[in-house]
Amino acid sequence: SKTPSDMALAFDPACEAAVAEVRSDSTPANWVTFRYEGKNKLVVGGKGSNGFPEFKASLADDQCTWAFLRMIAGDQESKRAKFIFVQYNGPSLGGMAKSRSGVHKPDVERVVGQHHVFFFADAPEDLTEDTIMDKVKKSAGANYDLGSNSKGYETRAGDIKAAASTTYKTKEKETGLSKPIVFNDSALPRTTPCDLSGRPTVAAPTEARKNTDLKGKLDVEKWQTDKPQQE
């Protein structure tokens, strides 16, 4: 009889290196697949930088293929990388091989590492880019559009900026002031800036350091306007 060590899944060292490439922002690779060499060893089956269509074209109908993908989610205002862990059981894969691959998932997951979603498919029509991205969107709790104008995406950044500018100008007119409002950009003597609720506002650490001397104490001479005159 076989011992657990005989059935443990082994990995070619190139597997971890390929995963690191897909994760890296400095390498073009965005997918890698792992295929079985024998019953209990995985090796790199393929790797590429041309995205999902290239990955899907590399899959075999009679094999269990594990994969790690880097895909981009978001819109034109904010895009982010999403990592997908995939198990694809080809439609011609035998029953014993299916059962064996099922118990290997935790081992493969340890090599792949952190990922946003796991996706399983056993038919080509179930493994589509749209289906995977839909699962990514649901896992993130938001519905991101890929920014494709062909899908009706239209950026609103310019409209938001214009609306904000119009609102501020309207408020200025309502005050009855003849000149635009200019906010003071320096510290005032004997005053504490506050917000509308009366809470003191605090400068950022970099700004605070500008008003301290080399010993870390407040250098009041930098901003006091009524310095005592020397006789």
Side-chain angles (χ1 to χ4, degrees):
S1 62
K2 294 184 178 180
T3 64
S5 60
D6 293 330
M7 302 177 64
L9 186 63
F11 293 86
D12 185 278
C15 293
E16 289 192 20
V19 169
E21 281 191 57
V22 175
R23 284 194 184 278
S24 175
D25 293 330
S26 59
T27 58
N30 50 32
W31 65 270
V32 61
T33 59
F34 307 123
R35 64 175 178 80
Y36 282 89
E37 188 177 83
K39 296 180 179 180
N40 295 306
K41 182 179 180 179
L42 285 182
V43 298
V44 174
K47 184 174 63 176
S49 57
N50 293 318
F52 188 85
E54 182 184 40
F55 151 69
K56 188 173 180 179
S58 73
L59 299 175
D61 288 344
D62 60 348
Q63 295 180 19
C64 168
T65 303
W66 300 94
F68 185 59
L69 314 179
R70 177 191 180 100
M71 301 175 74
I72 302 299
D75 53 32
Q76 291 180 357
E77 314 300 340
S78 176
K79 295 182 179 181
R80 56 194 64 79
K82 298 292 184 180
F83 297 103
I84 296 88
F85 175 34
V86 176
Q87 179 185 0
Y88 178 70
N89 286 351
S92 301
L93 184 66
M96 290 295 292
K98 289 181 181 179
S99 301
R100 187 166 52 247
S101 64
V103 300
H104 287 161
K105 181 189 173 189
D107 297 322
V108 183
E109 197 165 16
R110 279 192 290 271
V111 172
V112 166
Q114 293 184 343
H115 50 278
H116 293 93
V117 297
F118 169 72
F119 193 90
F120 173 84
D122 54 8
E125 58 270 22
D126 296 333
L127 186 63
T128 68
E129 188 169 2
D130 287 342
T131 305
I132 290 178
M133 291 310 300
D134 184 60
K135 189 169 184 177
V136 169
K137 294 171 188 176
K138 290 178 179 177
S139 71
N143 187 14
Y144 295 111
D145 178 69
L146 287 176
S148 171
N149 288 329
S150 64
K151 293 184 179 180
Y153 177 83
E154 183 177 352
T155 179
R156 301 299 303 278
D159 295 341
I160 295 172
K161 183 177 180 180
S165 177
T166 300
T167 300
Y168 278 113
K169 289 178 180 178
T170 301
K171 290 296 183 183
E172 285 186 359
K173 291 180 180 179
E174 291 176 355
T175 62
L177 298 176
S178 58
K179 295 182 180 180
I181 298 174
V182 177
F183 294 95
N184 197 0
D185 58 2
S186 61
L188 299 177
R190 299 186 179 86
T191 62
T192 301
C194 298
D195 61 18
L196 295 178
S197 64
R199 295 174 299 184
T201 56
V202 181
T206 52
E207 292 297 322
R209 282 196 290 270
K210 293 179 181 179
N211 290 330
T212 58
D213 59 22
L214 295 178
K215 296 181 180 180
K217 295 182 178 181
L218 183 62
D219 189 0
V220 296
E221 292 184 358
K222 287 185 177 181
W223 49 268
Q224 282 187 337
T225 59
D226 54 347
K227 297 180 181 179
Q229 297 181 354
Q230 296 181 354
E231 296 182 356

